[in-house]
Amino acid sequence: MEYNFREIEKKWRERWAADKTYHVTEDASRPKYYVLNMFPYPSGAGLHVGHPLGYIASDIYARYKRLKGFNVLNPMGYDAYGLPAEQYAIQTGQHPAVTTAANIARYREQLDKIGFSFDWDREIRTCDPAYYHWTQWAFRKMFLSYYDRRADKARPIEELTAAFEQNGTEGVDAACSEELTFTADQWRAMDEKQRAEVLMNYRIAYLGETMVNWCPGLGTVLANDEVVDGVSERGGFPVVQKKMRQWCLRVSAYAQRLLDGLDTIDWTDSIKETQRNWIGRSEGAEMRFAVKDSDEAFTIFTTRADTIFGVTFMVLAPESELVARLTKPDRQAEVEAYVEATKKRTERERIADRRVTGVFTGSYALNPFTGEAIPIWVSDYVLAGYGTGAIMAVPAHDSRDYAFARHFGLPVVPLIEGCDVSEESFDAKEGTVCNSPRPGVTALDGFSLNGLTVPEAIAATKRFVAEKGLGRVKVNFRLRDAIFSRQRYWGEPFPVYYKNGVACVVPEECLPLELPEVNRYEPTEDGQPPLGHATRWAWDEAARCVTDNARIDNSTVFPLELNTMPGFAGSSAYYLRYMDPRNDSALVSREADDYWQSVDLYVGGTEHATGHLIYSRFWNKFLHDLGLSCVEEPFRKLVNQGMIQGRSNFVYRIKDTNTYVSLGLKDQYDVTPLHVDVNIVQNDVLDVEAFRRWRPDYRDAEFILEDGKYICGWAVEKMSKSMYNVVNPDYIVDKYGADTLRLYEMFLGPISQSKPWDSNGIDGCFRFLRRLWNLFFDADGSLAVTDEEPTRDNLKTLHKLIKKVSEDIEEFSYNTSVPAFMVAVGELAQQKCRSARVLEPLVVLLSPFAPHVCEELWHLMGHTTTVCDATWPQGDEAYLKEDTVTMPVSFNGKTRFTVDVPADATKEAVEQAALGAEQAARYLEGMQVVKVIVVPGRIVNVVLKK
RNA sequence: GCACUUGUGGCGAAAUUGGUAGACGCGCCAGACUUAGGAUCUGGUGGCUUCGGCCGUGUAGGUUCGAGUCCUAUCAAGUGCACCA
């Protein structure tokens, strides 16, 4: 009987859908396991062969866990808000909801062909009001919360107002944008608007002034990568740095917990390292510097407090408010010109162009340890957004300060014995401190660091600074708050309105606040975001349930927030929603959350390391603080699948002709390589007829062949339409079947490695499945499986396979289990194995990889239930032992020990092994011989163990 | 610049975690069946060899009875962060 994969796969695809085979419900009697893929953005291009890689890997794991008796949640959905649909809408007027729905339908069709065990009843879409209800809900909660640093968790904002009412800021330790100090009386004296401003400083979702790339021509904020050479990528409009009031999330409040949490989860070191890097914890000290002949003073942050005696100048960031305050009148023109010039440059330009620039303010700071006057400069190498926006410069021990000092001729004072600072700074934190203070200089209270090592000096200085009130020990993080506003249409609307200019969140019962229709998707003429075009005010819709008295009394329609949320909003808690996707009274019910807990296995690409994977962790910690998500870390284990690159093919056209020369002969001509569609090339041999049909200008193409074939060149490039190297999974499924595709994708290489897609090897996997199929049938096409006793060889093959495959799946090295199946099937065929007691477990073992064919075989063998409900076979080590005989081994003619060796080992071979291990014999006292490896006619090893 | 990852046949890759390097697949070679092969099946396939063996895991050292695996240095590729004081 022939392996008719088309018929088999169609049959089971339909049956599984009709029977809801993969539907899952909470079941307290079974242990749960939660497998999750990073859900896709449904782009117009459809899936290519790289997308399903991670889905297949996680599907295998999900099916394996189910066979192991777990209740497995394996959901799928769509990250449906995004820029491409909006851009397309601007160009065509087509509503993004329409294109998104069409793309989703196409994705679904493609996914369905690959045989995933997704529970489609739990599908979610981020653009669905029933879903973004809870995105808005979480935002609302963030607005209504502050971060209590003492309790180290988010608390309701009412607790903060109550504290202010009682004692003002006294005793409050809350994460904030700006340190504020006021008394209870002052608080009580504030009007509503002033209080709102103060609270905004503490809210976890807050309106904040941030530096953005503002493009007036487009009327929107642009991300750094949307700005090229100071103008917008689209349209070429100038872009300036601008302070704007934007919604932000106080992610920085969670920096320490985000860092600590990394130690509790099972992610790769590289991605943890990337996150640690991004969070950027640095321990140091803040020190206060008074300004000479002035009442002004300012604070700097340093990790090298020990270098205080080497400070020869101070530097302010151009954006710092201190600049205006500290600039002397005679320097004002120059300083303002400098600040203006830096404003015009984007952050990207400042990074790309590292010329040393700066300007002197005319003011001097006083070294708090020595009272020495130090000139204060302004330079763009100091960032406003980190630390305090001001630094103490120690050119001898910081390379950036060094470059600045050399450029402007400022003094360099070395502080480490024997260090050479004539060519470059000495940045290493090692050596013995000197010149601290310099001979002849007396420091405050006779303080001295001379003779200490650098780490000792850092500690000593910190202690001194704290004791003398010169500053404080401080931990800084590089992690910034997330800017949460986008001047876009196709995103979640904020549940926010403005009452007399004060931002308020809409009442909970009004959610979801639905995205209104607009007739245009561009910004409005007066520079408002596209929501300014809304024809039907979402607020009017929401107003029906609003109980806000002020609104009802005077019938005022308050303006709504016109920005929408960014892409990461909808993806930050979707894993919770899958637990209870149709709940319309909560994001997730207590029961569902208690049962599913958190994601046990999360599969996706590394590109989200510093985006989604940080935001999700933050979001989940926030919900955890609210008592909602019972586990603090959302993703227990993370596996990153590599990218599938394209493997492009080339033809070589002889210049100015329509003649194409095969790869091996191209060097004899002057040729231009041209991309050719990989789908008309097989094993690098071009289908010349298909090539002529491919495009009109190739219709009359002539070929210079080698050995009668046209051989194409190839290169690994990004998989993209323009390189004609996109391989569509539909095509592979149609030609070889989904089971072959699944096997081949896993066989291609380690899951976490990036690799080019190469259709060349796929025949091997197809042949394997056909060999497997043939194992079950006689020559006449009847089922050959019998209930005869398996032979010892049969069982040995089976148990080897069980051990190997079980281990492989646990470690995600599917690429080595596919060969194990190939070998096992080869052996069983050779053994002419017919025994159901071997073949049935074989089908179960393979079913996670090739579910369709296994389901078919399972039913042909007389089962009426799905193979998914079978039990993963139990391994038995007893069958894995080699048949052994005991043999004495002698060294130097003296018998020292006996070992078990393979039955086919000759005495001579063992003696030879012993001889080879003569030197090892010296160590034999107290050592145990574990194994003697004997290969007839070859050198042998003796394995010893203490 | 800093961090992380990876270097093994013509190609994708394995290697029981320190113990027979190159499993398995592709490709290639030979054979079988075929009118035919871009179908199928069988066998072979790291390099050199005087057929005894010898050499081989980016390069150079080291530890070890023994190293693809551990250590040091170095080169190359990829990814992430990047004036973070």
Side-chain angles (χ1 to χ4, degrees):
Chain A
M1 199 156 105
E2 202 163 313
Y3 169 44
N4 189 340
F5 62 87
R6 281 197 194 88
E7 208 171 277
I8 294 168
E9 292 182 2
K10 181 170 184 290
K11 172 173 152 191
W12 289 109
R13 198 156 59 224
E14 288 167 1
R15 191 83 70 83
W16 291 333
D19 295 352
K20 290 195 184 291
T21 305
Y22 304 116
H23 182 61
V24 59
T25 49
E26 291 72 46
D27 175 1
S29 70
R30 282 188 298 160
K32 68 96 192 186
Y33 200 88
Y34 187 176
V35 176
L36 184 65
N37 293 286
M38 289 184 186
F39 62 169
Y41 172 77
S43 83
L47 290 174
H48 68 61
V49 107
H51 293 112
L53 181 77
Y55 306 157
I56 295 170
S58 59
D59 191 58
I60 290 171
Y61 202 77
R63 287 173 179 274
Y64 163 75
K65 275 290 181 184
R66 181 166 169 175
L67 291 167
K68 285 283 238 181
F70 287 84
N71 190 26
V72 178
L73 176 55
N74 183 24
M76 183 46 91
Y78 305 95
D79 187 14
Y81 277 132
L83 213 50
E86 182 161 346
Q87 303 284 24
Y88 189 74
I90 291 173
Q91 286 158 24
T92 64
Q94 179 91 271
H95 196 291
V98 175
T99 46
T100 301
N103 291 346
I104 287 177
R106 169 99 183 93
Y107 264 59
R108 177 65 191 276
E109 195 184 314
Q110 288 186 291
L111 289 171
D112 276 346
K113 284 186 184 168
I114 306 176
F116 294 116
S117 60
F118 297 135
D119 178 1
W120 284 108
D121 289 347
R122 291 176 184 255
E123 180 196 308
I124 55 167
R125 302 174 182 196
T126 54
C127 65
D128 182 350
Y131 177 86
Y132 66 67
H133 179 155
W134 302 104
T135 310
Q136 293 176 333
W137 178 87
F139 173 86
R140 191 178 172 279
K141 285 288 186 193
M142 289 180 194
F143 179 83
L144 296 173
S145 302
Y146 79 106
Y147 196 85
D148 182 348
R149 281 205 282 241
R150 206 157 287 144
D152 214 6
K153 64 194 288 198
R155 304 294 308 159
I157 197 88
E158 295 83 42
E159 290 186 9
L160 187 65
T161 41
F164 288 162
E165 201 74 38
Q166 283 277 311
N167 303 310
T169 50
E170 184 67 39
V172 168
D173 187 10
C176 57
S177 308
E178 207 184 319
E179 298 283 352
L180 301 178
T181 317
F182 52 80
T183 63
D185 288 337
Q186 284 172 313
W187 168 258
R188 284 189 227 111
M190 289 181 202
D191 63 24
E192 199 182 326
K193 196 160 181 170
Q194 286 169 322
R195 287 184 181 189
E197 272 305 310
V198 168
L199 290 179
M200 206 48 109
N201 189 49
Y202 296 96
R203 294 181 193 276
I204 288 179
Y206 65 97
L207 275 170
E209 299 280 339
T210 47
M211 277 293 174
V212 293
N213 296 311
W214 174 251
C215 179
L218 291 172
T220 186
V221 166
L222 297 175
N224 278 341
D225 59 310
E226 294 170 313
V227 183
V228 181
D229 300 328
V231 297
S232 66
E233 196 179 18
R234 253 165 228 280
F237 299 103
V239 173
V240 291
Q241 290 291 292
K242 185 178 166 186
K243 242 187 181 168
M244 272 183 72
R245 209 163 155 79
Q246 303 269 294
W247 284 104
C248 301
L249 302 185
R250 206 175 298 283
V251 180
S252 59
Y254 285 82
Q256 187 63 50
R257 280 167 68 186
L258 287 168
L259 192 62
D260 293 342
L262 291 174
D263 296 331
T264 69
I265 50 184
D266 185 9
W267 294 14
T268 61
D269 288 338
S270 77
I271 204 148
K272 282 188 186 180
E273 202 53 40
T274 303
Q275 290 212 341
R276 285 195 189 103
N277 215 318
W278 184 260
I279 295 166
R281 183 182 206 270
S282 80
E283 290 181 27
E286 281 187 349
M287 281 193 260
R288 223 168 152 66
F289 281 69
V291 178
K292 193 183 170 193
D293 303 328
S294 145
D295 297 336
E296 296 277 0
F298 62 97
T299 304
I300 58 93
F301 174 76
T302 180
T303 53
R304 291 294 304 273
D306 61 306
T307 59
I308 184 70
F309 295 103
V311 179
T312 56
F313 57 102
M314 310 292 290
V315 189
L316 308 177
E319 297 86 356
S320 170
E321 295 120 4
L322 290 165
V323 174
R325 280 169 28 206
L326 300 185
T327 301
K328 293 280 185 196
D330 60 317
R331 309 291 308 168
Q332 200 158 347
E334 209 183 323
V335 170
E336 275 174 13
Y338 181 73
V339 171
E340 274 310 305
T342 47
K343 225 183 238 179
K344 288 210 177 68
R345 308 170 78 200
T346 62
E347 208 153 322
R348 167 165 283 224
E349 281 178 299
R350 280 166 63 167
I351 290 161
D353 173 17
R354 295 201 180 181
R355 269 177 314 179
V356 177
T357 60
V359 60
F360 178 47
T361 60
S363 291
Y364 291 83
L366 299 174
N367 185 319
F369 283 53
T370 65
E372 287 173 302
I374 312 160
I376 303 172
W377 288 66
V378 177
S379 174
D380 66 1
Y381 83 88
V382 174
L383 304 175
Y386 183 76
T388 61
I391 63 158
M392 63 179 215
V394 185
H397 302 291
D398 183 286
S399 52
R400 296 150 304 178
D401 298 344
Y402 187 87
F404 195 84
R406 281 282 180 254
H407 188 262
F408 289 105
L410 295 159
V412 178
V413 179
L415 303 172
I416 305 292
E417 277 176 22
C419 73
D420 175 16
V421 294
S422 57
E423 292 294 324
E424 56 180 359
S425 61
F426 181 81
D427 291 12
K429 290 185 188 178
E430 54 194 45
T432 307
V433 177
C434 64
N435 285 338
S436 301
R438 299 191 307 281
V441 178
T442 313
L444 185 63
D445 288 347
F447 185 72
S448 169
L449 296 170
N450 290 326
L452 299 179
T453 64
V454 169
E456 286 166 355
I458 293 176
T461 316
K462 276 186 184 171
R463 225 178 300 126
F464 187 74
V465 163
E467 274 169 24
K468 298 291 165 190
L470 303 173
R472 58 171 178 165
V473 174
K474 176 86 196 283
V475 175
N476 256 339
F477 293 93
R478 197 162 65 200
L479 184 70
R480 318 264 179 98
D481 288 346
I483 299 176
F484 204 60
S485 298
R486 295 292 182 272
Q487 291 71 33
R488 304 283 182 194
Y489 171 70
W490 191 232
E492 298 86 351
F494 282 88
V496 167
Y497 63 96
Y498 292 88
K499 191 162 88 182
N500 308 322
V502 174
C504 308
V505 284
V506 306
E508 188 169 342
E509 58 272 24
C510 300
L511 299 180
L513 196 61
E514 290 198 32
L515 183 67
E517 297 294 319
V518 294
N519 44 27
R520 296 184 59 203
Y521 303 99
E522 293 95 338
T524 65
E525 288 69 23
D526 52 350
Q528 298 273 35
L531 272 187
H533 289 297
T535 48
R536 172 177 63 101
W537 285 100
W539 178 247
D540 287 343
E541 196 66 11
R544 270 189 249 129
C545 68
V546 174
T547 53
D548 187 318
N549 289 333
R551 201 200 98 78
I552 289 169
D553 290 350
N554 57 21
S555 323
T556 313
V557 175
F558 295 116
L560 277 172
E561 172 65 56
L562 296 182
N563 289 311
T564 54
M565 299 186 195
F568 67 83
S571 58
S572 287
Y574 74 113
Y575 51 89
L576 290 174
R577 191 62 182 163
Y578 279 135
M579 296 175 182
D580 194 8
R582 304 292 169 251
N583 189 333
D584 55 9
S585 60
L587 166 60
V588 53
S589 71
R590 166 94 285 142
E591 300 72 50
D593 186 53
D594 276 346
Y595 183 72
W596 295 112
Q597 302 266 316
S598 67
V599 176
D600 295 290
L601 171 68
Y602 197 28
V603 178
T606 43
E607 66 272 19
H608 299 109
T610 53
H612 161 63
L613 288 173
I614 290 262
Y615 299 127
S616 267
R617 293 182 58 222
F618 153 75
W619 202 284
N620 195 71
K621 281 173 195 295
F622 171 74
L623 295 177
H624 179 71
D625 288 353
L626 260 54
L628 205 98
S629 178
C630 59
V631 178
E632 179 160 344
E633 284 292 338
F635 313 118
R636 198 175 58 75
K637 183 179 172 69
L638 176 71
V639 170
N640 298 112
Q641 93 272 28
M643 264 223 304
I644 297 268
Q645 295 143 314
R647 186 179 186 277
S648 312
N649 276 115
F650 298 95
V651 292
Y652 301 94
R653 184 173 67 197
I654 301 173
K655 278 236 163 74
D656 306 319
T657 67
N658 202 12
T659 302
Y660 300 81
V661 57
S662 184
L663 177 69
L665 307 168
K666 76 175 166 67
D667 294 340
Q668 300 164 25
Y669 304 86
D670 186 9
V671 295
T672 320
L674 299 169
H675 278 96
V676 59
D677 188 346
V678 292
N679 293 300
I680 59 170
V681 177
Q682 192 159 19
N683 292 343
D684 292 334
V685 177
L686 180 70
D687 181 339
V688 294
E689 283 312 314
F691 182 71
R692 287 197 176 109
R693 283 194 305 271
W694 182 36
R695 291 216 306 228
D697 28 325
Y698 295 147
R699 205 177 53 215
D700 303 317
E702 302 281 337
F703 300 93
I704 300 175
L705 308 177
E706 46 185 322
D707 303 331
K709 294 179 204 159
Y710 189 97
I711 312 291
C712 298
W714 62 274
V716 173
E717 297 173 303
K718 199 174 169 244
M719 194 170 272
S720 101
K721 255 182 176 170
S722 62
M723 314 235 186
Y724 299 107
N725 59 9
V726 175
V727 181
N728 186 320
D730 299 356
Y731 172 79
I732 304 284
V733 168
D734 188 55
K735 196 165 171 200
Y736 298 98
D739 288 337
T740 299
L741 173 72
R742 290 169 63 107
L743 275 175
Y744 185 57
E745 292 231 4
M746 294 302 102
F747 181 67
L748 216 47
I751 195 78
S752 56
Q753 239 171 60
S754 285
K755 58 225 161 212
W757 176 267
D758 181 356
S759 297
N760 287 346
I762 199 163
D763 292 302
C765 288
F766 182 70
R767 273 180 217 137
F768 158 70
L769 284 179
R770 197 167 46 201
R771 277 202 303 275
L772 170 88
W773 183 259
N774 290 335
L775 195 59
F776 289 76
F777 297 96
D778 282 327
D780 63 2
S782 60
L783 192 72
V785 181
T786 67
D787 49 12
E788 70 192 36
E789 275 300 298
T791 66
R792 190 178 163 76
D793 277 347
N794 294 161
L795 290 171
K796 194 170 159 181
T797 298
L798 175 67
H799 285 281
K800 254 188 345 204
L801 186 66
I802 293 171
K803 184 166 194 272
K804 174 75 179 144
V805 173
S806 304
E807 284 170 3
D808 282 351
I809 294 182
E810 291 289 357
E811 289 161 25
F812 293 93
S813 38
Y814 304 128
N815 56 321
T816 60
S817 20
V818 178
F821 280 115
M822 290 175 173
V823 171
V825 167
E827 283 176 9
L828 292 175
Q830 194 132 50
Q831 295 159 15
K832 299 200 167 32
C833 174
R834 292 287 144 91
S835 169
R837 277 173 54 193
V838 171
L839 296 179
E840 283 194 4
L842 171 70
V843 166
V844 176
L845 287 173
L846 185 64
S847 67
F849 295 83
H852 306 87
V853 67
C854 288
E855 188 84 271
E856 177 73 9
L857 289 169
W858 187 249
H859 280 78
L860 284 173
M861 286 188 291
H863 294 274
T864 51
T865 56
T866 169
V867 70
C868 309
D869 291 330
T871 305
W872 190 255
Q874 190 77 40
D876 186 346
E877 297 277 335
Y879 294 101
L880 304 181
K881 283 208 191 108
E882 295 290 328
D883 295 319
T884 58
V885 294
T886 304
M887 214 181 253
V889 176
S890 51
F891 284 105
N892 307 325
K894 213 169 121 190
T895 301
R896 299 287 289 271
F897 53 89
T898 60
V899 289
D900 291 344
V901 298
D904 58 353
T906 61
K907 193 164 194 307
E908 287 69 32
V910 178
E911 294 294 345
Q912 198 189 343
L915 232 67
E918 237 173 49
Q919 286 190 287
R922 286 188 281 136
Y923 299 87
L924 272 173
E925 293 319 320
M927 299 198 67
Q928 201 190 349
V929 175
V930 176
K931 193 156 98 180
V932 174
I933 299 164
V934 181
V935 177
R938 291 261 343 207
I939 197 68
V940 186
N941 277 308
V942 177
V943 182
L944 307 165
K945 204 164 121 189
K946 273 210 177 79

